[in-house]
Amino acid sequence: MGSPVLAVEGLSKGYISGRQRVSVLADLSLSVCSGESLAVVGRSGSGKSTLLNLLCGLQTLDDGRIAVAGESFAATGAGAEVRWAELRRRTIGVVFQDVNLMPALSLLDNVRLRSHLAGHDTGGEREWL
């Protein structure tokens, strides 16, 4: 296979609970190449959602490095929030656990709206605003 579209090296993330630091992910490394699939499984509270939030830049990592589609992010880095937002806008699709649909729109129109807001041609002449 070619170079990874997703590469994670030494990823660590923890939270403060009371006065104690709780490690959720510790020194995680993985890679996924084009055409490969990855399933993240585990019991409730094992860090699945935290990992996914880190992989799309919705949370900051404590240590390590994440590379997505050629963009590399470390635990510290200037402009990381802006770079993550741009990467999400043009490359990453995120489906949240909680429904974030506009109830007045059909499912297809909800998808078209998000595509329109991301600057993509939806192929329709629908007025969104």
Side-chain angles (χ1 to χ4, degrees), residues 68-69 71 83-93 118 120:
V68 180
E71 283 278 335
R83 290 176 44 233
W84 271 117
E86 177 62 21
L87 187 63
R88 279 191 306 271
R89 189 186 68 74
R90 61 182 162 79
T91 305
I92 299 173
H120 302 291

Side-chain angles (χ1 to χ4, degrees):
M1 297 235 155
S3 61
V5 292
L6 170 65
V8 175
E9 295 176 8
L11 182 67
S12 295
K13 178 67 179 177
Y15 298 102
I16 302 297
S17 178
R19 294 183 171 192
Q20 185 175 342
R21 186 182 191 301
V22 178
S23 179
V24 177
L25 301 169
D27 198 27
L28 174 71
S29 295
L30 62 91
S31 67
V32 180
C33 292
S34 180
E36 290 184 324
S37 296
L38 173 68
V40 179
V41 297
R43 68 183 202 285
S44 180
S46 63
K48 300 179 303 292
S49 294
T50 296
L51 174 61
L52 296 175
N53 285 333
L54 291 166
L55 294 179
C56 60
L58 296 175
Q59 287 182 308
T60 57
L61 52 149
D62 293 340
D63 197 16
R65 185 182 74 81
I66 298 172
V68 180
E71 283 278 335
S72 185
F73 299 89
T76 59
E81 276 187 46
V82 172
R83 290 176 44 233
W84 271 117
E86 177 62 21
L87 187 63
R88 279 191 306 271
R89 189 186 68 74
R90 61 182 162 79
T91 305
I92 299 173
V94 180
V95 179
F96 295 97
Q97 284 177 279
D98 298 321
V99 177
N100 291 310
L101 300 177
M102 303 283 289
L105 299 178
S106 70
L107 177 60
L108 182 57
D109 282 343
N110 268 279
V111 172
R112 286 180 177 148
L113 172 61
R114 271 116 183 118
S115 180
H116 174 77
L117 292 174
H120 302 291
D121 179 18
T122 61
E125 296 297 319
R126 172 117 183 176
E127 290 271 335
W128 296 109
L129 300 174

